Amino acid sequence: MTCKRILFFIESLGSGGAEYQLSSLAIMLKKKGYEVKIITYADRPFYRKYVEENDVEYECKVALKNRFVRPLMMIQEIRHFHADLVISFLTSTNLSACVARMLFKYPLIVSERNTTQDLTLKYKIMYNLYRFADCVVPNSYSQKKFLEENFSFLKHKIEVITNFTDTERFYPSENYRNNDVPIITTIARYFYQKNGIRYLRAISMLKKKGVEAKFFWYGNIHQEAYREMSDLVDKLDLSDYMELCDQVENPLYVYHNSDIFCLPSLYEGYPNVICEAMACGLPVVCSNVCDNPLIVENGVGGFLFNPISEENIANALELMINLSKKDKLNMSRHNRRCVVERNSSVVFLNKYLTLIEKIVK
């Protein structure tokens, strides 16, 4: 059997990293001659224009929100599209896709986009249902390790494919940034996982020490965590030091106007934003969790910190801010080179093509 038609399922085409990776994969496969379609059930169309401009069929089916009928409706969509392969991203969609696979035989890849922290009943059910998938694709080695340690029967199904970075879209600025007052940028959801409260307290420590810097955080402001962070900015008197901004559709301008990138998350999968920042030649300060130390070489491409320790976060930021222009420039060149060699779209696509050929024979 030759694979010609691939159907993607994901909750939405919102602004997250998983949505970007799926959209880009669909576009790459379309350009390789596959017939592809993306189906969502939540109308958050951040990447809709991106996929449709690249001739990828997209449809939001709100009826799929009902998780009790979702597997049966998925089967209908698979049959209607005559799919040779289904690729599913994210928890709720993966769970439903596996239930559908129990009822109707079809080739299925499920993709893991984060690192599991708490093995709740929902996750136990889902990971046990993964036995019905043909392949489980985590985007991080930390999630691979977690799955193998807790669900050893999945070992032969796991294939890590880390996120790609579009190094033509994300590139260094022509003029290397070295502002008198350095600009430190974070691009992340306002969400508790991203550790914004401790980050703000660490920034407050720097302000009290007289460290000169300007901090920006970009993300979807319609979140409870945003309100908590905004309140804390006022409480700590950081309004002249830290600015909380809405998400940006094209972050290249943000990267180009920054000196340093920081991601203070408590845990991650394989964070797109770190690789994008590195592709743009930014030194990185980030938490020493999950796959981050595999991406950022401590002391060479940036600095790692313990995200639980506000003092440790502050110390790492201060160390980076005080580096010489020469040292920062060396980090910049190192990071760009690493991303080009390791995270290119060619490497990413070839891994998926090999996997597709293996599954759909």
Side-chain angles (χ1 to χ4, degrees):
M1 177 183 176
T2 302
C3 182
K4 296 180 180 179
R5 303 176 67 83
I6 300 177
L7 184 60
F8 290 87
F9 285 109
I10 191 169
E11 181 179 322
S12 77
L13 287 187
S15 60
E19 292 83 352
Y20 174 67
Q21 293 289 315
L22 178 142
S23 299
S24 299
L25 176 59
I27 291 168
M28 292 177 199
L29 291 171
K30 178 71 176 180
K31 290 179 179 178
K32 278 290 182 179
Y34 292 86
E35 288 299 317
V36 297
K37 181 177 181 179
I38 300 172
I39 293 180
T40 70
Y41 53 87
D43 190 20
R44 296 193 292 274
F46 189 84
Y47 286 112
R48 178 173 183 168
K49 182 179 179 182
Y50 174 49
V51 299
E52 291 183 342
E53 284 181 343
N54 285 277
D55 201 28
V56 169
E57 186 179 356
Y58 163 70
E59 189 172 4
C60 178
K61 288 187 169 288
V62 179
L64 283 168
K65 280 186 178 180
N66 187 331
R67 66 180 183 274
F68 298 108
V69 301
R70 188 183 302 146
L72 294 176
M73 294 189 68
M74 281 181 160
I75 292 172
Q76 290 178 353
E77 297 298 331
I78 293 164
R79 284 174 167 166
H80 180 72
F81 187 68
H82 303 292
D84 299 314
L85 173 68
V86 172
I87 301 178
S88 172
F89 273 45
L90 301 179
T91 304
S92 60
T93 320
N94 288 351
L95 200 157
S96 297
C98 288
V99 173
R101 177 60 179 77
M102 291 171 58
L103 304 173
F104 176 66
K105 189 173 182 179
Y106 64 90
L108 172 65
I109 295 172
V110 292
S111 183
E112 286 282 295
R113 313 306 301 177
N114 216 328
T115 304
T116 306
Q117 302 299 302
D118 298 310
L119 194 51
T120 62
L121 178 60
K122 179 179 180 179
Y123 281 121
K124 287 180 181 178
I125 292 170
M126 183 177 70
Y127 294 142
N128 275 286
L129 285 172
Y130 275 5
R131 68 181 74 243
F132 295 101
D134 293 273
C135 188
V136 180
V137 179
N139 71 342
S140 67
Y141 290 94
S142 52
Q143 183 67 353
K144 177 181 187 285
K145 181 181 178 182
F146 170 84
L147 290 173
E148 288 181 341
E149 288 178 349
N150 291 278
F151 302 91
S152 58
F153 62 88
L154 291 176
K155 278 187 177 182
H156 70 287
K157 292 179 180 282
I158 298 173
E159 182 76 32
V160 176
I161 301 179
T162 55
N163 293 347
F164 91 98
T165 302
D166 187 340
T167 53
E168 293 183 3
R169 179 186 175 200
F170 296 104
Y171 54 88
S173 171
E174 291 183 4
N175 300 310
Y176 178 72
R177 301 291 294 184
N178 189 41
N179 294 305
D180 291 335
V181 177
I183 294 175
I184 298 97
T185 294
T186 298
I187 299 178
R189 291 177 297 155
Y190 292 103
F191 189 61
Y192 303 108
Q193 170 193 348
K194 303 303 181 180
N195 203 27
I197 298 300
R198 289 189 183 90
Y199 186 54
L200 290 176
R201 289 175 178 150
I203 290 171
S204 179
M205 293 179 185
L206 295 178
K207 182 178 180 181
K208 290 176 181 177
K209 290 178 69 173
V211 176
E212 286 193 283
K214 180 69 176 178
F215 294 83
F216 292 87
W217 185 303
Y218 295 86
N220 186 343
I221 65 174
H222 302 291
Q223 308 276 357
E224 178 62 31
Y226 166 79
R227 289 186 283 275
E228 291 187 16
M229 288 178 65
S230 182
D231 290 344
L232 190 57
V233 166
D234 292 337
K235 183 178 179 180
L236 296 176
D237 191 26
L238 292 177
S239 58
D240 60 335
Y241 212 63
M242 173 63 160
E243 190 170 334
L244 304 181
C245 310
D246 204 348
Q247 64 188 12
V248 288
E249 186 170 344
N250 185 355
L252 181 64
Y253 174 82
V254 172
Y255 293 130
H256 280 184
N257 284 277
S258 304
D259 297 284
I260 299 161
F261 185 81
C262 182
L263 189 67
S265 309
L266 295 171
Y267 60 94
E268 283 289 345
Y270 197 94
N272 291 312
V273 289
I274 287 181
C275 294
E276 290 171 1
M278 290 173 65
C280 291
L282 289 181
V284 174
V285 184
C286 66
S287 46
N288 189 11
V289 297
C290 304
D291 276 29
N292 284 1
L294 300 179
I295 303 170
V296 179
E297 189 174 351
N298 192 36
V300 180
F303 296 113
L304 304 172
F305 56 74
N306 176 1
I308 302 299
S309 168
E310 294 157 13
E311 184 176 3
N312 201 236
I313 297 171
N315 289 342
L317 287 167
E318 185 175 8
L319 185 60
M320 178 64 82
I321 291 167
N322 289 335
L323 275 186
S324 68
K325 179 179 179 179
K326 180 181 177 181
D327 286 339
K328 288 177 185 174
L329 184 58
N330 287 337
M331 285 187 171
S332 169
R333 290 169 175 165
H334 171 83
N335 285 348
R336 171 69 183 180
R337 184 171 60 251
C338 281
V339 171
V340 169
E341 292 174 355
R342 181 183 59 207
N343 300 104
S344 73
S345 58
V346 174
V347 172
F348 175 79
L349 177 59
N350 284 342
K351 287 182 179 180
Y352 266 105
L353 290 174
T354 300
L355 185 57
I356 291 167
E357 185 178 339
K358 176 183 174 182
I359 291 173
V360 186
K361 298 178 181 178

